[in-house]
Amino acid sequence: MSVSQSEYLELAMELTEHNRRYYVEAAPIISDYEYDRLLEKLRKIEQSHPNWVVDWSPAQRVGHQPLSSFPKVVRDEPMLSLDNTYDEAELKAFHDRVLRGLDIDPADPQAASQLTYVVEPKIDGFGIELTFESGVLALAATRGDGTTGEDVTANLRTVRGVPLRLRQEVDVVVRGEVYMTRADFAKLNQARAAAGEETFKNPRNTAAGSIKLLDPRQVAERPMHVTLYEVVDGERFARGHFEVLAWMREVGLPTSAHNSEAHTWDDLHQQVQDWFERRQLLPFEADGLVIKVNSFEQRAILGATSKFPRWAIAYKFPAERVTTVVVDLEINVGRTGAVTPVAILEPVDISGTTVKRASLHNWDQVQRLGLGRGDRVLLEKAGEIIPQVLEVVKRASDQAFEAPTECPSCHTTLTREEGKVVLTCPNALSCPEQLLASLEFFAGRGQMNIDGLGTKICQALLDAGLVHNVADLFILTKKQLLALDRFAEMSAQNLLVAIAAARDNATFSRLLAALGVPLVGGVAARAIAQRYRSMNELLALIDSTRPDQGFVEALTEIDGIGNVMARSLEKFLRDPNTRTVLALLVERGVNPVEPVAPSGQGHLNGNTFVITGTLSRPRSEIKKSIEAAGGKVVTSVSKKTDYLVAGEKTGKSKLTAAEKHGVEVLDEAALDGLLAQAE
Ligand code: IVH
């Protein structure tokens, strides 16, 4: 076969275009048979001319090397998740929050024209992010914890709907979902059953499991689809999300065929209603709808919490329900002292998992349900949400479970805060179950990472009276450990090494997260530690402010830290018992300083920038220089933005937002000046 290199490239391009027609437009113009013949031809050319082969060639989807692990990928713009609503009242509350956030008066006859939503099915699959450089797929990553994901490029390439090359040579990052259709899932399971292999539980877990297989050849055999639903920095391509979705299809990125716009509350409400029936018709599992504010300018004004954007919400479809019998009631004491009832159930299958326990949240709920031993109850589970007991359908006893008056663990009389439903064990310092839960949490992954310090060892240390608080871990001796049943020479040595390593490798953010301050999780702790780099700095702040004056204000300056969280931290840090433990930690060498952020520490440290408009250098380059000086680049202007870097043809929306939030606007020359200033 004699072909030229340009004929080869044309053929590769032609197949790419057929792929797009099939997966993006669902309107192929050639048969599968013809497609396969062209692909075969491409393969043959590649065999005779291996040096011509391009990475984006449709014949290069399946790599041949199994991987040993997936490299980590750290992203600048975390993949957030979505806040959930389960009924119309909650959805209405979201809508009202959006209106308030945007200063739109619902009574204004013009209100309807000022806000548009996009309604999309919420696909119950596996979240991924694709990065295209000059239009060619460069990276596919999992969501992971939002900030750090895994590089699964080799696997995603095998999914035929994932374009390897776009119709524009753009740099763009898009996010979406990989999933299996119900029909494909059923077929896969039939084939497995016939081959005597174990069948899979549900399409979602199967898709997730498939993406994490180490051999791309195996992944290629799993029938998977992809739908993309967000572009990072979408405002580069259009003013609103709906237009961006159209642009995505235009360049070859598959989006859902079921996305729609809603212009008024009534419209939104009607669409949500219609979906209750329509969802059954979808070929894949959807666990709800995602409702997003369309305008990027409005999204910027609404901003985000550390977990969720305030401009979008997931509206979950009513969940599957089953009934089962309550065998017993267990009483749990959490690490913050909350005493919660848990129903022990006769095991029952619901939404693909076996449920044996259900949290009852608080004692008011037990009372309201009038729940007793042997009662048959109605259970509900929505997606990943913990099963809920909705009501008693058949009573077996007239003896409802009663709320305890004392802590099941330390027998201290329980307290209940005025107006709150939570019963609490006030014995924070020495209640064994609270201590156990907080020790375990302190040692856990993502916190202090003390290898080998699990529930059983924590329990043994507490039982032996060797540990009374987390600081005591750092004065354990080998002799003490050897006196316990659980330890021999080696295991004692290992634990001490792990504890010392945790002390030496800790960062301030991990220590802060490990202390388990209510509401302050890992993400918030990292944000705080970027501003206050050690416990000393944070304590200096609290000691320089009077109670309820200044601390909350200072903390909420930090992106991602809200009022409620700041108040919780203030309460924690002002507690004398906390201070005792913190002092002991310092005394015992646990006093980490937060390392310099990946963006580097420089004179722009702590400053947040938004870049917009046309500039003389590529944005990615400008972003790098800002980061090298310690600054952070985000996509939307909010009150937490310090500078808006505005190039030519800057959209009015960004400038208005900057004005509204008092953000300083820099032209390129001014930015260069700022970058040139050293500390
Ligand atoms: S938007 C910041 N749109 O649901 C916006 N997410 O619970 C975040 N998901 O992590 C995502 N369909 O994996 C968005 N049409 C859709 C979606 C969708 C499914 C998943 C996604 C996300 C999770 C949030």
Side-chain angles (χ1 to χ4, degrees):
M1 185 172 29
S2 119
V3 281
S4 70
Q5 186 169 3
S6 61
E7 280 168 330
Y8 160 72
L9 287 172
E10 254 163 53
L11 181 58
M13 222 100 93
E14 189 188 332
L15 278 153
T16 301
E17 178 58 12
H18 286 309
N19 220 54
R20 188 190 69 83
R21 283 180 180 273
Y22 189 95
Y23 287 101
V24 181
E25 291 188 1
I29 52 166
I30 59 170
S31 66
D32 289 0
Y33 173 75
E34 284 167 295
Y35 182 90
D36 289 342
R37 282 206 13 205
L38 291 175
L39 189 63
E40 203 36 50
K41 185 170 164 197
L42 192 71
R43 282 215 176 90
K44 289 233 171 75
I45 305 176
E46 292 190 350
Q47 270 161 20
S48 1
H49 302 279
N51 54 331
W52 288 357
V53 176
V54 284
D55 202 37
W56 52 269
S57 154
Q60 296 294 323
R61 285 198 172 262
V62 187
H64 298 284
Q65 288 308 317
L67 309 168
S68 54
S69 67
F70 301 111
K72 294 265 173 283
V73 176
V74 181
R75 51 176 73 86
D76 318 327
E77 284 284 324
M79 280 172 84
L80 299 178
S81 69
L82 292 169
D83 202 358
N84 291 320
T85 51
Y86 295 89
D87 61 36
E88 266 176 42
E90 285 176 7
L91 184 62
K92 182 71 167 57
F94 164 75
H95 173 61
D96 291 340
R97 280 200 301 280
V98 168
L99 290 178
R100 252 182 280 124
L102 297 174
D103 270 340
I104 300 177
D105 175 6
D108 179 352
Q110 296 295 309
S113 65
Q114 294 174 43
L115 174 65
T116 299
Y117 292 108
V118 178
V119 182
E120 304 174 2
K122 183 169 186 305
I123 304 167
D124 199 10
F126 186 71
I128 47 118
E129 181 179 80
L130 305 176
T131 304
F132 292 86
E133 285 171 5
S134 304
V136 175
L137 179 69
L139 175 71
T142 64
R143 177 171 185 276
D145 67 1
T147 310
T148 309
E150 287 176 326
D151 178 346
V152 288
T153 315
N155 286 351
L156 256 301
R157 286 176 66 95
T158 71
V159 178
R160 290 257 310 262
V162 171
L164 299 179
R165 182 188 161 128
L166 304 178
R167 295 214 289 183
Q168 269 181 28
E169 294 190 353
V170 274
D171 286 351
V172 64
V173 179
V174 296
R175 292 172 180 174
E177 208 81 359
V178 175
Y179 60 94
M180 225 172 247
T181 63
R182 281 195 277 253
D184 282 340
F185 173 73
K187 250 191 274 168
L188 182 69
N189 261 354
Q190 271 162 18
R192 287 180 76 89
E197 288 173 292
E198 209 180 316
T199 54
F200 294 120
K201 268 236 144 142
N202 58 46
R204 182 203 136 90
N205 293 358
T206 314
S210 304
I211 291 303
K212 301 296 254 326
L213 289 170
L214 288 166
D215 187 346
R217 283 167 299 191
Q218 276 183 352
V219 185
E221 285 166 15
R222 300 277 172 89
M224 287 192 289
H225 294 258
V226 68
T227 290
L228 301 165
Y229 45 64
E230 277 295 321
V231 166
V232 177
D233 293 346
E235 68 273 22
R236 285 164 56 209
F237 306 103
R239 293 182 52 167
H241 178 60
F242 203 64
E243 272 177 79
V244 165
L245 288 169
W247 173 84
M248 288 166 82
R249 283 188 293 279
E250 197 47 54
V251 296
L253 293 160
T255 62
S256 167
H258 304 278
N259 301 333
S260 60
E261 284 180 296
H263 297 283
T264 59
W265 166 254
D266 290 342
D267 189 3
L268 180 63
H269 174 85
Q270 190 56 51
Q271 292 196 29
V272 168
Q273 286 297 316
D274 293 347
W275 265 107
F276 285 175
E277 278 123 58
R278 268 175 78 198
R279 72 184 281 210
Q280 306 301 338
L281 303 175
L282 291 173
F284 50 83
E285 292 200 340
D287 55 343
L289 299 171
V290 183
I291 293 151
K292 305 174 176 177
V293 168
N294 183 49
S295 146
F296 294 124
E297 180 187 346
Q298 290 178 334
R299 287 186 179 189
I301 294 171
L302 293 165
T305 69
S306 66
K307 294 207 185 87
F308 318 120
R310 291 201 184 85
W311 45 260
I313 198 135
Y315 183 90
K316 292 293 192 86
F317 291 133
E320 198 192 320
R321 295 174 175 190
V322 296
T323 71
T324 188
V325 172
V326 175
V327 182
D328 203 357
L329 194 82
E330 195 179 276
I331 301 173
N332 263 359
V333 187
R335 76 188 142 81
T336 53
V339 174
T340 46
V342 178
I344 307 300
L345 307 166
E346 254 174 30
V348 59
D349 277 348
I350 180 165
S351 312
T353 49
T354 307
V355 174
K356 297 183 192 129
R357 304 153 57 85
S359 167
L360 293 161
H361 309 292
N362 57 57
W363 295 92
D364 278 15
Q365 198 193 354
V366 178
Q367 225 176 26
R368 207 165 43 235
L369 295 166
L371 194 67
R373 190 168 282 110
D375 286 352
R376 178 163 286 276
V377 291
L378 184 64
L379 260 191
E380 173 181 280
K381 184 164 174 275
E384 290 297 288
I385 311 294
I386 315 155
Q388 310 256 359
V389 175
L390 295 180
E391 58 180 273
V392 176
V393 290
K394 195 165 157 227
R395 256 173 236 294
S397 76
D398 37 51
Q399 273 278 265
F401 292 114
E402 271 181 34
T405 51
E406 58 177 47
C407 173
S409 175
C410 66
H411 306 291
T412 306
T413 303
L414 300 176
T415 58
R416 188 177 183 139
E417 233 179 281
E418 201 42 52
K420 295 261 169 78
V421 287
V422 188
L423 271 183
T424 313
C425 166
N427 183 15
L429 280 186
S430 51
C431 169
E433 246 188 90
Q434 279 186 61
L435 264 175
L436 177 65
S438 41
L439 259 190
E440 243 187 291
F441 181 76
F442 183 82
R445 291 250 133 247
Q447 284 85 250
M448 295 295 280
N449 293 338
I450 307 181
D451 276 346
L453 190 56
T455 317
K456 295 215 168 106
I457 306 251
C458 287
Q459 186 72 68
L461 295 174
L462 289 167
D463 288 348
L466 293 178
V467 170
H468 304 98
N469 56 52
V470 295
D472 288 348
L473 289 172
F474 300 93
I475 48 165
L476 286 170
T477 64
K478 197 192 248 178
K479 194 161 152 231
Q480 288 174 328
L481 294 182
L482 287 175
L484 305 180
D485 280 349
R486 298 205 150 266
F487 287 96
E489 183 67 28
M490 235 347 215
S491 48
Q493 182 64 27
N494 287 347
L495 181 59
L496 292 177
V497 168
I499 292 174
R503 181 193 60 213
D504 299 341
N505 299 335
T507 58
F508 174 50
S509 55
R510 284 203 280 111
L511 173 65
L512 188 58
L515 293 171
V517 184
L519 305 177
V520 181
V523 176
R526 275 200 294 282
I528 295 170
Q530 284 306 315
R531 185 71 56 94
Y532 302 96
R533 295 191 169 270
S534 64
M535 192 58 85
N536 293 347
E537 274 186 45
L538 196 58
L539 293 181
L541 172 70
I542 202 138
D543 291 339
S544 68
T545 52
R546 273 193 276 139
D548 299 325
Q549 275 178 27
F551 182 80
V552 167
E553 286 74 6
L555 267 230
T556 48
E557 293 262 301
I558 302 172
D559 227 347
I561 308 298
N563 271 311
V564 190
M565 202 193 277
R567 275 202 293 275
S568 168
L569 183 60
E570 169 157 28
K571 180 161 176 247
F572 179 82
L573 292 176
R574 288 204 192 276
D575 182 335
N577 296 323
T578 303
R579 299 299 284 263
T580 310
V581 175
L582 293 182
L584 285 174
L585 281 168
V586 171
E587 199 179 298
R588 295 166 186 176
V590 188
N591 194 11
V593 171
E594 190 68 4
V596 173
S599 55
Q601 184 166 27
H603 61 291
L604 297 184
N605 205 37
N607 286 313
T608 301
F609 291 76
V610 172
I611 313 175
T612 186
T614 315
L615 297 137
S616 70
R617 295 186 285 152
R619 270 190 208 193
S620 55
E621 218 175 273
I622 295 181
K623 183 164 182 241
K624 277 201 194 112
S625 346
I626 292 176
E627 284 173 351
K632 193 171 132 194
V633 178
V634 299
T635 45
S636 30
V637 177
S638 72
K639 70 171 203 273
K640 289 172 180 173
T641 313
D642 297 296
Y643 299 103
L644 174 68
V645 180
E648 272 166 43
K649 292 200 232 132
T650 289
K652 227 180 134 202
S653 63
K654 283 264 157 70
L655 291 172
T656 318
E659 195 175 343
K660 173 169 172 183
H661 297 296
V663 174
E664 189 172 339
V665 180
L666 304 175
D667 61 13
E668 205 174 338
L671 173 71
D672 289 341
L674 191 65
L675 286 170
Q677 286 167 17
E679 243 175 317

